[in-house]
Amino acid sequence: RGVVDMALSAMRPPDPANKEAVDAAAAALGLEELQSVEVVHCAHSFALKVRHAAGWSLVYSGDTRPCKRLSDAARDATVLIHEATFDDGMLEEATAKKHSMTKEAVQIGEDAGVYRTILTHFSQRYPKIPVIEEISAPRVGIAFDLMSVNFADLPELPHLLPALQVMFADENLAAEAETDETTLFSAEP
């Protein structure tokens, strides 16, 4: 099988030359596993699992609803990078658009026994950072566009959350006020 699981091969058989090239690149990077994992979003949506010879593993998913394949891939991973497009309580929207709510992304990480879950892809229609329940915070961090996280800094990542919540408090309050105004003006008599 090599280090590559060609999940796309369900569409067409993998080109042996491509598989060899990917295997060679993975080996040069010290990767023992490089696997694509089909997720629940639109056609041809995949997560990526990487396991390094040094013992760490990373699972990254773009847009997805929570799914067993992603949870299985993330089992005991060092890092799970998971989208959290919708705020908790927006299940109908998240389901319709095939995205995850914050608590769902956190739950995938908890259920899989992930060391750190990093949440990304927050909708611009909602507050700047997601609301995360305190009980989940010790294993959860958040990321922004172009942010990089060194594996050596993973133990400190959850400690940034309270500071970020303070930094973005005004934006969160403004977004809540906007939501309250919209609700107030759209209410029927």
Side-chain angles (χ1 to χ4, degrees):
R1 163 181 154 176
V3 297
V4 177
D5 172 6
M6 302 298 274
L8 291 173
S9 65
M11 303 293 298
R12 58 189 157 87
D15 179 337
N18 289 345
K19 183 174 181 343
E20 286 177 23
V22 172
D23 281 345
L29 294 170
L31 301 180
E32 293 181 344
E33 183 176 8
L34 179 60
Q35 176 184 13
S36 59
V37 179
E38 189 175 8
V39 296
V40 179
H41 188 59
C42 59
H44 313 295
S45 293
F46 293 89
L48 177 69
K49 178 180 182 177
V50 176
R51 188 168 38 85
H52 194 271
W56 58 263
S57 60
L58 179 137
V59 176
Y60 169 80
S61 182
D63 299 344
T64 186
R65 285 292 301 141
C67 62
K68 184 174 180 350
R69 288 181 299 271
L70 180 58
S71 182
D72 289 347
R75 176 82 39 225
D76 299 321
T78 309
V79 176
L80 168 63
I81 302 172
H82 198 296
E83 67 109 333
T85 301
F86 287 97
D87 199 16
D88 296 345
M90 301 186 78
L91 179 60
E92 187 174 312
E93 293 89 341
T95 302
K97 296 184 180 188
K98 296 185 180 176
H99 285 277
S100 296
M101 297 184 303
T102 301
K103 68 181 177 183
E104 292 174 319
V106 169
Q107 191 66 52
I108 290 286
E110 287 178 0
D111 290 349
V114 172
Y115 176 63
R116 292 288 182 258
T117 299
I118 300 176
L119 303 177
T120 64
H121 193 52
F122 316 118
S123 175
Q124 294 302 308
R125 296 173 292 208
Y126 308 109
K128 296 290 182 192
I129 63 172
V131 176
I132 299 171
E133 292 184 29
E134 285 184 36
I135 195 150
S136 300
R139 298 178 84 157
V140 177
I142 59 173
F144 300 97
D145 290 348
L146 304 177
M147 180 176 168
S148 63
V149 177
N150 187 313
F151 269 58
D153 296 329
L154 287 175
E156 304 307 319
L157 191 61
H159 300 294
L160 294 175
L161 190 56
L164 290 170
Q165 288 170 328
V166 169
M167 288 171 54
F168 287 102
D170 291 343
E171 284 84 355
N172 286 342
L173 289 173
E176 287 174 16
E178 240 177 69
T179 301
D180 290 345
E181 278 183 26
T182 303
T183 304
L184 181 66
F185 291 115
S186 66
E188 293 183 28

